[in-house]
Each structure stands twice: as C-alpha cells, then as structure tokens.
Amino acid sequence: MQTVWITALGVGGATLFGTVIGFLFKKVSHRFSDVVLSFAAGVMLAAAVLGLILPSLEYGGKYGIIVTVIGIFAGALCLNLIDKAVPHLHKMVGADIENHSNANLDKVLLFVTAIAIHNLPEGIAAGVGFGSGDMSQALMIAGGIALQNIPEGMVIISPMLLAGVSKRKTFIFAAFTGLIEVVGTFIGYFAVSLSTAILPFALAFAGGTMLYVISDEMIPETHSHGCEMAATYSLLVGFCVILISDALLG
C-alpha cells in the first residue's frame, strides 16, 4: 500500500514538475515539447500493451480474448464520451489559447478542466496496474503516465498566465489536475483489490483508455508543428525502452 501511495503522489507530482518547468521556461519550443511528449506516448503504448492488455488476456481464462476486446473498446468509448463533453486538448492548446494574448479566461478554465477530466482515467489505469499484483508492470504503467504528465504540466502555464491568472492561482490549478490523477490511482487500485473478478476487464479498460489518449490526443499534438519525423522516432525510442526493460526484467 505504501508503494501505491508513493506512486500515486509521483504520478500526480509529475504534473507539478512539468508546471515548475513551465514557469522557468514560459515558452518551450514545439520541437522539444513534441519530442518529449512522443517519447511518453511510446512508453505509454508499450505499457498499455505489455502491462495491461496482455495481462488481461492472461487473467481472462477461457473467454479472455472476448473480455479483453470488450474492455479495450469500453475504455476508448468512455474517453470518447468525455471528449464529447470537453474540447480536445490539442485544439485548445494549439489554436484557441496559445495564439491569442487576450485569451478568454473561461476558455482557459475549460482547458484546465479538460486536462483534469482526462487525468482521472489515467490515474485509474495506474491504480489497476497495482491491483493486478505485478509490481514491475504496475511501475512501468505508472512511469509512462508520469512521463506524459510532465509536458502536460508544462503547457498549462503559458495559457493561464496570458489570460491574466496570477502565478499562485496558476500553480493551484495545475496542482488540482495532478490531484485528480492521485484520486484516480486509488479508485483503480481499490476497485480491483475489492473484486479480483473484474481484473481482466479492468486491465483491458485501462489499456483502452491509454490507447485512446495516445491516438486521439498525444500523436495529433506531436504531429501538428512540423516535427513529425522527430516525434515518430521519439515514440519508437520510448516504446523500445519499455520493451527492452520488460525483456530484461522478465
């Protein structure tokens, strides 16, 4: 349980770490941000497949493939419905806010709310990983999510400061988005711990949410600033780092 606490705080704290970087470097280059985010996407992709989807098949037994496929689509559909209610993050960052110095505060708050909502299933994915009992896989999943949270925390800063939000309140809003992820981690952990029967579906559901975030949010964002080649290879490096780590630890 202590490890879950530490990991939950680490996953949420990664957003704050990115926030601090955002304060220090208010204008991070698109190329740097895209490369870091793509690396995180590669790590998350490997973590979703190796740490969530394949274990779901393993624990699912006779009907494992059916449960896993249903779980993946259920997770993706859940975030798809969330996207119907809140704007796409890459659109909010790239068009509505970043390029307008007189950005409307309501749009900025909507942007922060969107990040917070998207962080909940990511936290649940980390918690479900720990609920499976495989510590190395759980840490791999949590590490991938934490890496993704660093550039996410970085992009929060500039839009809020441009909208006239004070540095103190900007930091509080960023901390709130990280806190949501901590809450999600414990929701996922306790849900699986209370009922191991739901473990195969929960693993696949968490994997589906991660695949959706990678495809719908992270890859479009990293391929929208002219750095597609660097972003693609960065994703492959991130994927292979986890693949190699898993092979060596296995």
Side-chain angles (χ1 to χ4, degrees):
M1 188 63 188
Q2 183 180 5
T3 306
V4 179
W5 265 106
I6 294 173
T7 303
L9 294 175
V11 169
T15 300
L16 291 184
F17 180 69
T19 301
V20 172
I21 296 177
F23 276 120
L24 294 176
F25 306 97
K26 294 180 182 178
K27 200 65 179 177
V28 179
S29 71
H30 279 309
R31 183 177 182 83
F32 176 79
S33 177
D34 289 347
V35 167
V36 172
L37 192 59
S38 290
F39 179 84
V43 170
M44 286 181 66
L45 181 59
V49 174
L50 299 175
L52 294 169
I53 294 173
L54 292 183
S56 172
L57 286 171
E58 180 183 343
Y59 294 129
K62 182 179 179 181
Y63 300 105
I65 185 63
I66 298 175
V67 173
T68 299
V69 169
I70 292 175
I72 289 172
F73 277 93
L77 181 61
C78 177
L79 283 194
N80 190 204
L81 293 175
I82 289 174
D83 272 341
K84 297 292 185 182
V86 296
H88 288 267
L89 301 186
H90 57 87
K91 290 182 180 178
M92 290 294 289
V93 176
D96 291 340
I97 293 178
E98 194 175 58
N99 296 328
H100 294 81
S101 59
N102 60 341
N104 185 280
L105 182 58
D106 289 340
K107 287 186 177 182
V108 178
L109 295 180
L110 183 61
F111 163 61
V112 175
T113 302
I115 289 181
I117 292 173
H118 280 72
N119 279 355
L120 183 62
E122 290 178 7
I124 291 175
V128 167
F130 279 99
S132 70
D134 190 329
M135 194 62 65
S136 62
Q137 298 281 26
L139 290 173
M140 177 176 66
I141 295 163
I145 294 172
L147 273 175
Q148 184 254 342
N149 286 346
I150 294 175
E152 191 173 86
M154 289 163 55
V155 303
I156 293 176
I157 301 306
S158 179
M160 297 193 72
L161 293 178
L162 287 173
V165 180
S166 68
K167 290 184 178 180
R168 183 176 65 86
K169 289 183 178 180
T170 297
F171 184 82
I172 291 174
F173 281 124
F176 170 71
T177 65
L179 179 62
I180 293 295
E181 205 141 24
V182 174
V183 172
T185 301
F186 284 102
I187 290 175
Y189 174 75
F190 284 116
V192 174
S193 299
L194 292 174
S195 176
T196 55
I198 69 170
L199 179 59
F201 177 81
L203 287 169
F205 182 93
T209 63
M210 290 178 70
L211 292 178
Y212 185 93
V213 169
I214 293 165
S215 177
D216 191 63
E217 303 290 352
M218 299 175 75
I219 292 177
E221 170 63 18
T222 59
H223 284 65
S224 60
H225 307 120
C227 306
E228 295 88 348
M229 188 65 69
T232 297
Y233 280 100
S234 184
L235 183 147
L236 293 175
V237 170
F239 186 91
C240 289
V241 165
I242 297 302
L243 190 64
I244 294 169
S245 300
D246 186 68
L248 293 177
L249 293 174

